[in-house]
């Protein structure tokens, strides 16, 4: 009887351990910070798609508010150390900084699988895909928006105003490529302060047919109340944007949906956890847009 009792206990414990097997680990590394509209949308998509299917941990690099190169490299090293210590089964990273400063120098063709999202326009400059890396690139309807602005205003002179950041530089590049194809003459201004943004915006009212409003992220002293008050008094021409969070300061928008990026990245992560190799998952692009009108 004693032997039988021991065997029964062993069987029960065995079933208990199977029933409570450890969940796979999913690490999410955001280039930016919670409270930034884009990052919040991506995070929401990631968390909702993953649900309770894995043990989840998040690290925010906070490089939008802290663009100093030394800080960025320190945050990248912390990200690396977290991957090595926590040993996740899959890592999701959002936006260019994490892709450039974490994946490329530390995890190219490594054992740990990575899924990126929010990488602007193309991943070729980072060498993606690697055998352990796939993901979702972020594109915007640039030509369509320029054509819409032309049709509304009847003019073709425009200026792009955005923050002086890596992301905005990449966005501006695409607008400069697209502008000649739709007969738009495009000037540019990437700024670091609220005062400079307002100065360019106000001067543009007399010089251009419309303004392309880039992201404010990276303008650390951005003062929404001051901006709102000033542009309500000075706006005379059309403004357009690809960013939903810039709609309080813009007339018309064709905006990307950040939640889509998080959702798609998480779906790829789940496929990897189910046994699919990252190399078997092609790099894809976002497909959703929202149209906004600021009445």
């Amino acid at each position: 009887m004693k032997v039988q009792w021991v065997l029964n206990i062993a069987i029960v414990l065995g079933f208990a351990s199977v029933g409570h097997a450890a969940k796979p680990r999913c690490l999410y590394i955001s280039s930016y910070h919670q409270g930034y509209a884009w990052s919040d949308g991506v995070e929401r998509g990631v968390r909702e798609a993953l649900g309770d299917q894995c043990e989840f941990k998040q690290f925010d690099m906070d490089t939008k508010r802290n663009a100093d190169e030394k800080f960025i490299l320190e945050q990248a090293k912390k990200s690396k150390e977290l991957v090595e210590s926590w040993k996740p089964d899959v890592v999701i990273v959002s936006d260019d900084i994490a892709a450039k400063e974490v994946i490329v120098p530390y995890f190219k063709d490594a054992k740990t699988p990575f899924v990126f999202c929010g990488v602007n326009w193309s991943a070729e400059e980072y060498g993606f895909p690697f055998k352990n890396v796939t993901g979702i690139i972020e594109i915007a309807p640039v030509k369509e928006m320029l054509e819409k602005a032309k049709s509304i205003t009847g003019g073709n002179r425009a200026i792009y105003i955005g923050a002086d950041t890596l992301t905005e530089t990449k966005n501006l590049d695409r607008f400069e490529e697209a502008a000649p194809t739709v007969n738009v003459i495009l000037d540019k201004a990437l700024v670091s302060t609220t005062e400079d943004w307002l100065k360019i915006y106000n001067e543009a009212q007399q010089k251009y047919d419309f303004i392309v409003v880039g992201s404010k992220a990276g303008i650390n002293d951005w003062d929404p109340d001051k901006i709102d008050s000033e542009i309500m008094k000075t706006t005379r021409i059309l403004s357009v944007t690809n960013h939903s969070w810039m709609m309080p300061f813009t007339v018309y928008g064709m905006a990307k949906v950040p939640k889509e990026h998080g959702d798609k990245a998480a779906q790829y992560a789940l496929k990897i956890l189910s046994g699919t190799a990252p190399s078997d998952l092609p790099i894809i692009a976002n497909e959703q847009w929202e149209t906004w009108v600021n009445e």
Side-chain angles (χ1 to χ4, degrees):
M1 291 295 292
K2 184 177 181 181
V3 172
Q4 184 63 43
W5 179 82
V6 171
L7 287 173
N8 287 342
I9 290 295
I11 291 170
V12 170
L13 290 176
F15 279 123
S17 65
V18 171
H20 295 84
K23 292 180 180 180
R25 290 181 169 186
C26 299
L27 175 61
Y28 172 49
I29 300 174
S30 169
S31 292
Y32 307 135
H33 60 278
Q34 291 178 319
Y36 172 38
W38 174 265
S39 295
D40 290 348
V42 175
E43 179 186 341
R44 186 164 60 251
V46 168
R47 288 181 178 270
E48 289 182 7
L50 291 179
D52 62 355
Q53 298 180 75
C54 62
E55 183 182 350
F56 184 82
K57 183 173 286 192
Q58 178 169 338
F59 179 72
D60 299 311
M61 295 180 69
D62 199 12
T63 65
K64 189 66 75 173
R65 295 182 298 190
N66 300 279
D68 178 73
E69 183 178 1
K70 182 179 178 182
F71 177 86
I72 291 173
L73 295 178
E74 288 174 350
Q75 293 298 87
K77 186 177 180 182
K78 289 180 182 178
S79 301
K80 167 186 176 288
E81 292 170 348
L82 178 57
V83 172
E84 293 174 341
S85 62
W86 198 55
K87 296 180 170 52
D89 296 284
V90 64
V91 182
I92 299 171
V93 305
S94 66
D95 299 284
D96 283 81
I97 294 294
K100 177 183 178 183
E101 304 295 353
V102 178
I103 299 179
V104 174
Y106 295 125
F107 295 105
K108 179 178 180 179
D109 296 330
K111 182 179 179 180
T112 304
F114 280 75
V115 181
F116 66 81
C117 65
V119 168
N120 295 92
W121 302 108
S122 171
E124 292 181 1
E125 68 183 277
Y126 307 133
F128 301 156
F130 300 154
K131 69 179 183 180
N132 66 320
V133 177
T134 187
I136 298 89
I137 60 171
E138 175 190 337
I139 61 174
V142 170
K143 290 178 64 174
E144 294 86 347
M145 196 172 73
L146 291 175
E147 289 175 332
K148 184 70 173 179
K150 281 182 60 182
S151 71
I152 293 172
T153 64
N156 70 338
R157 297 170 304 148
I159 184 169
Y160 185 103
I161 308 175
D164 190 8
T165 64
L166 171 63
T167 296
E168 278 299 278
T169 299
K170 291 184 70 174
N171 286 337
L172 173 59
D173 287 345
R174 296 293 167 161
F175 277 92
E176 289 186 315
E177 290 175 9
T181 69
V182 292
N183 191 32
V184 168
I185 302 169
L186 184 69
D187 287 337
K188 60 189 176 184
L190 298 182
V191 302
S192 301
T193 68
T194 291
E195 287 296 333
D196 286 345
W197 193 96
L198 281 172
K199 181 176 183 292
I200 299 298
Y201 183 92
N202 292 339
E203 290 175 352
Q205 306 303 316
Q206 311 302 324
K207 298 171 60 177
Y208 300 99
D209 299 304
F210 61 92
I211 298 170
V212 179
V213 178
S215 178
K216 66 180 176 61
I219 301 176
N220 290 332
D221 71 343
W222 182 264
D223 186 337
D225 294 332
K226 183 175 183 177
I227 296 283
D228 183 64
S229 175
E230 185 72 18
I231 66 176
M232 287 294 289
K233 294 184 293 186
T234 60
T235 298
R236 298 290 181 273
I237 62 175
L238 178 72
S239 54
V240 295
T241 188
N242 285 138
H243 307 296
S244 59
W245 58 92
M246 296 305 293
M247 279 310 304
F249 319 103
T250 314
V251 176
Y252 182 84
M254 297 176 69
K256 299 165 287 187
V257 182
K259 185 174 181 291
E260 179 192 10
H261 284 263
D263 178 76
K264 287 182 181 294
Q267 295 296 340
Y268 261 17
L270 291 173
K271 289 181 179 180
I272 290 169
L273 292 177
S274 296
T276 304
S279 57
D280 290 332
L281 298 170
I283 292 176
I284 57 176
N286 57 297
E287 302 172 304
Q288 298 177 11
W289 322 109
E290 294 176 332
T291 301
W292 297 72
V293 177
N294 189 338
E295 296 180 354

